[in-house]
Amino acid sequence: MTERSVSHGERMAARGGARAKGTDGSDFGHRETVASHYQISSTNKKRLKVCMFFHTLAFLFILAKSSAEILKFFDISLKALIKIDIPFPKPALWEYVWLTSIVFTFAAYLAFRRNNILAMQVYVGSTFVTGICPLVTAIIYHSGDLKVFLAQKIDENVEKFYGIPVVLILSVFVSVTFLVHSLSMMFGMNLIRAWTPKKGKKKA
């Protein structure tokens, strides 16, 4: 067979390796696009799951910090349960709001199963509302104590937990959690773009 008789489809198939059985190689570009979208989806799913793991750890931290007040609401004494008196700082309103952010991780897990765009959109939007927004509120709420701490002034009015300023603990928490939420939203948006079918093309 001469070079002139080699079809365009065969040249395309040769470029990407062995040609798939039952095709003439003309769908090479589409198959490459599907493979690319699959890779993007797989990578961002793994990264988002890591972020959600750290989100869960942060949730457990705030839940433990708020446990005394939560149990008190139900007339249950934490000291009576664990036989230890731990002087947990009283939680602020933003912490209760932030705790609800864990609920929407289930939307992400639902989205993973069938590449559900709507469920992932719910997760991304809810992460901003119940995750990012309360953290911004926390920065404003604790800004006064933070200024005192950064100025290295001794102030008995600054709340402490076993000698450590609570504002320092919360500053670290807010910084790390803000990063986790930001990355979660970015990976979620990447998944939405990868799952969204292009006009005139099949869904990856």
Side-chain angles (χ1 to χ4, degrees):
M1 181 182 295
T2 64
E3 184 178 352
R4 292 181 180 179
S5 63
V6 178
S7 68
H8 173 72
E10 288 174 329
R11 289 198 300 271
M12 294 296 289
R15 188 186 305 173
R19 188 175 67 198
K21 186 176 181 180
T23 70
D24 60 0
S26 59
D27 62 343
F28 175 80
H30 172 67
R31 287 187 283 113
E32 285 292 296
T33 300
V34 171
S36 175
H37 284 193
Y38 177 82
Q39 182 62 39
I40 293 173
S41 178
S42 177
T43 299
N44 282 276
K45 279 182 181 180
K46 292 177 182 178
R47 292 174 178 174
L48 182 53
K49 287 178 181 178
V50 172
C51 288
M52 290 165 65
F53 170 75
F54 284 106
H55 183 181
T56 302
L57 293 181
F59 169 79
L60 294 175
F61 171 78
I62 292 296
L63 183 63
K65 178 179 176 296
S66 308
S67 59
E69 289 297 318
I70 294 174
L71 291 174
K72 185 178 179 181
F73 179 79
F74 295 100
D75 294 325
I76 301 174
S77 172
L78 179 63
K79 183 179 179 180
L81 288 176
I82 63 177
K83 308 300 181 182
I84 301 175
D85 186 17
I86 303 177
F88 285 118
K90 188 174 182 179
L93 179 60
W94 71 264
E95 295 176 64
Y96 291 119
V97 176
W98 182 86
L99 283 172
T100 63
S101 64
I102 197 67
V103 175
F104 299 100
T105 58
F106 292 102
Y109 283 115
L110 178 63
F112 290 154
R113 297 184 63 183
R114 295 182 179 275
N115 293 355
N116 191 307
I117 296 175
L118 179 59
M120 186 55 67
Q121 289 174 333
V122 169
Y123 169 73
V124 172
S126 300
T127 297
F128 177 78
V129 174
T130 63
I132 295 291
C133 290
L135 294 178
V136 173
T137 303
I139 295 173
I140 299 172
Y141 181 81
H142 297 286
S143 60
D145 288 343
L146 183 59
K147 288 179 181 178
V148 172
F149 174 76
L150 293 177
Q152 296 183 345
K153 296 180 180 179
I154 299 176
D155 191 342
E156 296 298 328
N157 294 324
V158 175
E159 190 177 10
K160 297 180 180 180
F161 180 69
Y162 288 108
I164 304 174
V166 173
V167 67
L168 175 60
I169 299 173
L170 290 177
S171 294
V172 174
F173 170 83
V174 169
S175 299
V176 173
T177 310
F178 193 95
L179 176 61
V180 169
H181 284 327
S182 298
L183 291 174
S184 296
M185 292 175 62
M186 182 180 72
F187 298 144
M189 290 302 299
N190 288 343
L191 288 171
I192 291 173
R193 284 192 289 268
W195 297 342
T196 301
K198 306 299 180 183
K199 292 183 178 180
K201 295 183 179 181
K202 297 180 181 179
K203 182 179 178 180

